Amino acid sequence: MSYDHKIIEQKWQDYWDEHKSFKVVENPDKPKYYVLDMFPYPSGAGLHVGHPLGYVATDIVARYKRMKGFNVLHPMGWDAFGLPAEQYAIKTGTHPRKTTKTNIDNFRRQIKMLGFSYDWDREINTTDTGYVKWTQWIFLQLYNKGLAYEAEKPVNWCPELKAVLANEEVVDGKSEIGGHPVHRVPMRQWMLRITDYAESLLAGLQEVDWPNSVKELQRNWIGRSEGADVDFNVVGRDEVITVFTTRPDTLYGATYMVLAPEHPFVEYFTSAEQKGSVKKYQKEAGRKSDLERGELNKEKSGIFTGTYAINPVNGAEIPIWIADYVLMSYGTGAIMAVPGQDQRDWDFANKFDLPIIRTVQHPEGFDGEAYMGEGPAINSEFLNGLNITDAKSKMITWLEEKHKGKGTIRYKLRDWLFSRQRYWGEPIPIIHYDDGIKPLHEDELPLELPDVEKFEPIGTGESPLANIKEWVEVKNDDGKVIGLRETNTMPQWAGSCWYYLRYIDPQNIKKAWDENKESYWMPVDLYVGGAEHAVLHLLYARFWHHVLFDLGYVSTKEPFQKLFNQGMILGEDGSKMSKSRGNVINPDDVVNNFGADSMRLYEMFMGPLDKSKPWHTKGLKGCFRFINKLWDKVCSCDGLNDCIDADKANSETIKLLHQTIRKVGDDVENMRFNTAISQMMIFTNHLIKLKTINIEVLKTFVQLLGPFIPHVAEEIWQRLGQDQSITYEPWPNFDENIAKEDLINIAIQVNGKLRANIEVVLNADKEAILMKARDIEKIKLYLSRGNVIKEIYVPGRLVNFVVN
RNA sequence: GCCGCGGUGGUGGAAUUGGUAGACACGCCAGAUUUAGGAUCUGGUGCCCAUCGGGUGUGAAGGUUCGACUCCUUUCCGCGGCACCA
């Protein structure tokens, strides 16, 4: 145990900094490779060992690709707007800018100590005015394209945080941060029309190399449904109620209709005698949170309006009810209820004693209630006997011919609530005038945050900016107030929606990015981050990118070609690392005791990158021991050991080396770092047994180690007499012929059970092997017990005698 | 309830297209070294019975196959997401 990781790691990190070893510029002569980490929010707690897991992986890929001759873009930055700094400001009066700087400095220190090969000249910070300017600029592009609008929306108001939260920030009716109760309150908000891009976002998923699970998650989130809008006339009224259904084939089974309590027609349709109870019901439903309307309350409730609609297909008069199981925010806010084929409608019909007509023949023995399965149409006149798919399209044709409805596609995806009533975010560059709103002009950007004394939102729910009169008021030359600035700010997602584009050209003050640089570097070839961003960040960023693509600002439709989600590192007790459990492992301690190389190596050796697995300091020690074993074998106190010489290496060593080059390269390409490391351990175990090690063999092996344990690799590389960093050494080649085994083991089975092993030369022919196998005493015995009815030979693998 | 992913020794995990299950590492056992501890080195280590040797084994139960961790059916358990979306 003689290797001093502290000295070596400091030495090489200083070297890389001084030489700017990882700085990149566009180079048309080299193929590019853009490998990106999801940038962190610099929290006050600093990193725990789980955070850099993905960064280790991308660093290995980045270093490997450099050696493979790629021009590698590998940047890092900070997603630094956000609630924690603001809440800290509310509590202590410390300006978020100050907190943010302190936290970033600590994060940068921790990330740098792990020896990552980032181009630090490209570091970005979403809160820098030079960055905010372009976030606001993109907002203007969205606004000018008609994709940003104001709306009075029932929003998630959290009195405790004094802030409106996005749906995504509300979990089980409580705020994601802090777990405070959330109520529905209408408020003026900025919205982004992401729904216009539903189809585009869905289609784009087909072109990217992403985990199936993430694609599925996004598909579910977008929630595309094909169906039909059907128009129902109302008895004694002029209004027409349109419903959306995915089952137009069941129209003959529609025995009643339900409107959402908020449906605008409710007040017109309610009969005089029902007015009182309908009003009461609407009021109750309005008060309920989504949680209460949803999962807490599966028991159906509702009330009859006293009015009837006419089923367009058969003229039947069906009662119109209102019920809170119908949501105003999806479809048309009205449904035709088909209790025979929908369990929710069945439950409702059952409770309120409404008629049920089955329109799909259920199989014999079906004992459920509503039948949702496949079957021929019944009780449906011209559809009878058709399967569901055919019945649907025939009904849609009928509706369209009679002008009673049309085929429609709906999405679950809602528009994106884009404003926050907070201080610490990008100001929305809009001014409200008497005669309407106007965006700022591009050259008026950035619109900077004013300094404030108090960071609390004001009691009305408006952001603290509303209190800064001199900022809010826009005056003309005479000093007259002619307009008021928007006081809402953007959500934290805004900065992360396009940071990968800013890395391409981070210092540009004239443009968000240069288009030539953009077309050189984009798309991101590999994007690694946590699965928790599977939907929101990755959907929002794709949305912006699609818009920018349509506007001609970017050259690829999809921003992230390959996505990989790293797993979590759990505490030693197998549960999630958290302060409250006291099982947090601090990377500062790990690096201090064992060094960055050991930590990197262990995190990759633990198991497949995408799986969650518990940390074991014992396992880390195993990796530390591996590095030490290698070090002790090859290094003396300031040079190399005498066992390193120029004598020809034996063929076994050469063969194993070539196998190792093949395996490590292949595994890195496929993100299987654990098995790559295991192969390098096998090779090291072999080297240690040798009396002498050929210097060329060692050089090649150190090149393989470079991406994984860069500090030790650089140090040995230098001691081998190299005066350049190992960073741009070409990745070693292997020779398939040398890597091939020439003596192979053949398993001899009888009836599929292993009974013996023989060793043969690589290209031994079948008959020779079978002869040899039959000749083994043990095999003879087994074969003599019956007749051999089949002899199977799998080349290079095994022989199986089938005996009856 | 629906969608997605997973279940292999005491532990983390290996295992091209179905072809010798348990690579590599941790832990454990024995030995060496050491005043002792730690560190290091050597050997062993799925489970059961045993002297050679044999049986058994990838959550469970079936099936296909000469042969299944791998393919099919049913089922149990764990994790993640969605959840009255018509």
Side-chain angles (χ1 to χ4, degrees):
Chain A
M1 288 289 173
S2 51
Y3 124 83
D4 189 332
H5 59 263
K6 285 184 190 166
I7 291 174
I8 289 169
E9 290 178 0
Q10 193 59 56
K11 169 180 166 185
W12 288 102
Q13 286 170 20
D14 291 346
Y15 176 96
W16 297 325
D17 268 350
E18 281 161 25
H19 291 78
K20 289 201 184 286
S21 299
F22 311 118
K23 188 175 173 63
V24 274
V25 289
E26 299 67 41
N27 177 355
D29 297 335
K30 269 185 166 186
K32 66 93 185 180
Y33 193 83
Y34 187 176
V35 51
L36 179 69
D37 294 296
M38 288 186 187
F39 67 163
Y41 173 78
S43 75
L47 297 177
H48 70 59
V49 290
H51 291 118
L53 178 66
Y55 306 162
V56 177
T58 53
D59 194 61
I60 291 167
V61 172
R63 288 174 181 272
Y64 168 78
K65 288 285 180 184
R66 282 188 199 103
M67 296 174 83
K68 281 294 233 182
F70 287 86
N71 196 27
V72 174
L73 177 57
H74 187 42
M76 180 47 75
W78 319 104
D79 185 18
F81 278 124
L83 208 45
E86 179 150 342
Q87 283 178 315
Y88 186 74
I90 291 170
K91 251 192 271 168
T92 66
T94 317
H95 196 287
R97 201 168 287 287
K98 202 175 160 197
T99 315
T100 301
K101 185 182 181 311
T102 312
N103 293 350
I104 287 176
D105 287 344
N106 189 41
F107 262 63
R108 190 191 300 104
R109 177 191 64 79
Q110 285 190 305
I111 285 175
K112 279 200 154 186
M113 85 188 172
L114 292 169
F116 296 134
S117 59
Y118 294 118
D119 177 358
W120 286 104
D121 288 350
R122 293 174 184 262
E123 178 179 351
I124 59 164
N125 173 342
T126 55
T127 66
D128 285 345
T129 49
Y131 187 92
V132 167
K133 171 174 178 172
W134 301 110
T135 308
Q136 291 171 332
W137 176 82
I138 295 174
F139 177 86
L140 292 184
Q141 308 312 309
L142 291 159
Y143 179 83
N144 292 333
K145 202 177 187 300
L147 293 170
Y149 63 97
E150 288 179 289
E152 197 70 27
K153 281 278 165 184
V155 294
N156 304 300
W157 169 247
C158 177
E160 191 67 29
L161 297 172
K162 292 186 186 157
V164 172
L165 305 176
N167 289 334
E168 303 86 66
E169 293 167 312
V170 181
V171 177
D172 292 342
K174 290 185 175 151
S175 64
E176 193 185 10
I177 300 164
H180 308 298
V182 172
H183 307 292
R184 305 286 280 174
V185 172
M187 208 179 270
R188 187 187 58 83
Q189 298 291 333
W190 279 94
M191 307 291 292
L192 294 186
R193 233 181 273 284
I194 191 173
T195 48
D196 278 11
Y197 277 75
E199 200 59 52
S200 173
L201 290 167
L202 206 50
L205 289 174
Q206 285 172 357
E207 350 179 324
V208 292
D209 178 10
W210 284 21
N212 193 37
S213 59
V214 177
K215 288 193 194 182
E216 269 316 295
L217 241 44
Q218 294 214 351
R219 285 192 190 110
N220 291 342
W221 192 264
I222 295 167
R224 184 182 198 272
S225 294
E226 285 182 23
D229 280 354
V230 184
D231 296 333
F232 284 69
N233 289 316
V234 181
V235 176
R237 316 274 166 161
D238 294 335
E239 289 92 348
V240 171
I241 304 177
T242 303
V243 304
F244 174 66
T245 177
T246 54
R247 295 292 302 274
D249 60 301
T250 64
L251 191 47
Y252 282 96
T255 53
Y256 64 100
M257 171 180 274
V258 186
L259 306 184
E262 304 86 353
H263 197 288
F265 285 1
V266 172
E267 58 176 311
Y268 306 130
F269 292 164
T270 306
S271 65
E273 61 268 28
Q274 290 295 85
K275 207 132 230 164
S277 35
V278 166
K279 272 256 146 63
K280 185 162 162 260
Y281 184 81
Q282 282 182 305
K283 234 179 174 174
E284 281 169 11
R287 259 211 320 271
K288 284 185 198 171
S289 68
D290 276 359
L291 182 70
E292 290 166 316
R293 256 175 93 151
E295 77 199 76
L296 290 185
N297 192 14
K298 296 286 186 192
E299 182 71 16
K300 296 281 181 290
S301 68
I303 194 146
F304 179 44
T305 60
T307 306
Y308 292 81
I310 298 163
N311 187 333
V313 79
N314 58 10
E317 293 191 2
I318 60 174
I320 304 174
W321 287 62
I322 67 170
D324 64 7
Y325 83 93
V326 174
L327 309 173
M328 194 59 222
S329 51
Y330 182 74
T332 62
I335 63 155
M336 62 178 217
V338 187
Q341 266 72 234
D342 186 296
Q343 188 60 40
R344 295 157 301 182
D345 296 344
W346 177 288
D347 293 341
F348 192 84
N350 206 29
K351 178 157 179 183
F352 295 105
D353 210 14
L354 293 156
I356 296 169
I357 301 170
R358 290 192 187 273
T359 59
V360 178
Q361 181 58 54
H362 58 67
E364 217 156 309
F366 173 75
D367 61 353
E369 299 178 333
Y371 176 66
M372 274 83 81
E374 186 54 67
I378 53 170
N379 300 322
S380 298
E381 300 186 13
F382 67 95
L383 301 179
N384 283 345
L386 295 177
N387 66 40
I388 293 175
T389 312
D390 293 343
K392 274 184 190 173
S393 57
K394 191 159 184 186
M395 180 56 88
I396 290 172
T397 308
W398 184 91
L399 287 166
E400 287 175 351
E401 274 170 7
K402 306 278 181 203
H403 303 288
K404 299 279 189 192
K406 60 177 195 305
T408 319
I409 292 161
R410 301 261 177 199
Y411 303 90
K412 275 200 276 186
L413 185 69
R414 310 288 155 81
D415 275 344
W416 175 12
L417 197 157
F418 193 68
S419 45
R420 294 303 125 92
Q421 289 63 45
R422 290 180 196 155
Y423 172 75
W424 194 229
E426 300 88 345
I428 293 178
I430 293 282
I431 298 173
H432 299 259
Y433 295 99
D434 285 343
D435 59 345
I437 57 175
K438 265 196 200 141
L440 291 191
H441 204 265
E442 191 178 318
D443 52 25
E444 294 173 287
L445 300 179
L447 173 59
E448 294 189 47
L449 282 169
D451 272 329
V452 299
E453 305 280 309
K454 282 187 170 169
F455 299 93
E456 283 98 348
I458 59 181
T460 57
E462 288 176 278
S463 97
L465 295 177
N467 272 339
I468 315 299
K469 219 173 143 189
E470 52 279 25
W471 185 82
V472 172
E473 291 179 346
V474 180
K475 296 173 181 163
N476 65 8
D477 294 343
D478 305 331
K480 190 169 168 261
V481 177
I482 51 165
L484 300 172
R485 287 193 196 282
E486 174 62 57
T487 60
N488 283 321
T489 54
M490 299 187 199
Q492 197 183 350
W493 306 109
S496 59
C497 269
W498 72 284
Y499 73 112
Y500 58 93
L501 289 166
R502 188 62 179 173
Y503 282 138
I504 286 169
D505 197 7
Q507 318 294 347
N508 198 329
I509 53 168
K510 294 212 179 75
K511 290 175 177 179
W513 56 84
D514 176 87
E515 56 271 24
N516 291 323
K517 292 181 178 175
E518 188 278 333
S519 64
Y520 177 74
W521 288 115
M522 286 298 286
V524 173
D525 295 282
L526 175 65
Y527 192 23
V528 176
E532 66 273 19
H533 295 114
V535 177
L536 302 174
H537 159 59
L538 286 169
L539 196 65
Y540 294 152
R542 291 181 61 223
F543 165 47
W544 281 30
H545 200 85
H546 283 212
V547 176
L548 292 168
F549 178 72
D550 287 349
L551 291 170
Y553 289 116
V554 295
S555 58
T556 66
K557 187 172 171 194
E558 286 293 329
F560 313 120
Q561 183 48 40
K562 179 175 175 139
L563 175 74
F564 197 97
N565 293 129
Q566 88 269 18
M568 253 189 310
I569 294 185
L570 307 171
E572 299 233 21
D573 56 357
S575 60
K576 206 170 158 170
M577 267 192 202
S578 71
K579 244 190 226 163
S580 57
R581 285 202 179 82
N583 60 356
V584 175
I585 306 283
N586 184 329
D588 290 291
D589 299 336
V590 175
V591 170
N592 192 41
N593 293 328
F594 301 98
D597 282 336
S598 292
M599 176 162 156
R600 293 168 59 111
L601 197 66
Y602 175 56
E603 294 212 349
M604 292 299 103
F605 184 62
M606 290 172 82
L609 185 61
D610 56 349
K611 298 282 181 317
S612 292
K613 54 249 156 184
W615 178 273
H616 287 296
T617 298
K618 289 257 172 65
L620 167 73
K621 279 186 183 164
C623 290
F624 181 60
R625 202 173 295 155
F626 159 74
I627 296 173
N628 273 289
K629 278 198 288 193
L630 177 71
W631 180 271
D632 289 347
K633 179 71 180 179
V634 303
C635 291
S636 63
C637 56
D638 56 359
L640 293 175
N641 276 332
D642 295 341
C643 69
I644 313 299
D645 65 21
D647 291 354
K648 200 166 173 289
N650 65 38
S651 61
E652 196 193 346
T653 303
I654 298 288
K655 182 199 304 290
L656 190 58
L657 178 67
H658 280 249
Q659 288 172 344
T660 302
I661 298 168
R662 180 175 62 185
K663 174 107 182 108
V664 173
D666 194 46
D667 282 349
V668 171
E669 296 275 358
N670 292 291
M671 314 276 291
R672 294 189 301 246
F673 306 104
N674 55 332
T675 49
I677 293 167
S678 132
Q679 182 65 33
M680 295 192 290
M681 287 175 169
I682 291 170
F683 189 72
T684 301
N685 290 342
H686 173 81
L687 286 187
I688 283 169
K689 288 189 198 116
L690 298 176
K691 279 206 183 69
T692 64
I693 299 174
N694 171 275
I695 190 162
E696 294 304 321
V697 168
L698 182 59
K699 265 194 201 168
T700 304
F701 184 51
V702 169
Q703 289 172 337
L704 301 185
L705 289 166
F708 294 83
I709 47 172
H711 311 88
V712 165
E714 290 274 25
E715 181 64 26
I716 299 177
W717 189 246
Q718 189 181 54
R719 291 179 183 209
L720 282 164
Q722 306 295 321
D723 55 1
Q724 293 287 310
S725 163
I726 201 169
T727 306
Y728 296 97
E729 281 302 309
W731 186 256
N733 291 314
F734 66 92
D735 183 333
E736 196 69 59
N737 281 321
I738 297 174
K740 218 160 36 185
E741 291 289 353
D742 29 33
L743 265 185
I744 50 173
N745 202 300
I746 301 286
I748 312 299
Q749 299 182 339
V750 179
N751 287 338
K753 285 197 203 296
L754 179 70
R755 296 301 178 188
N757 276 289
I758 56 172
E759 207 154 72
V760 298
V761 292
L762 181 59
N763 291 318
D765 67 66
K766 181 180 172 180
E767 276 316 310
I769 291 168
L770 285 175
M771 285 245 286
K772 205 169 169 187
R774 286 193 212 97
D775 215 36
I776 302 166
E777 281 305 318
K778 213 163 120 190
I779 299 300
K780 272 186 191 162
L781 184 70
Y782 280 106
L783 297 189
S784 67
R785 289 179 189 166
N787 298 317
V788 177
I789 51 173
K790 210 169 177 183
E791 293 169 339
I792 292 147
Y793 172 61
V794 182
R797 291 280 182 183
L798 56 74
V799 170
N800 189 12
F801 295 105
V802 185
V803 178
N804 64 3

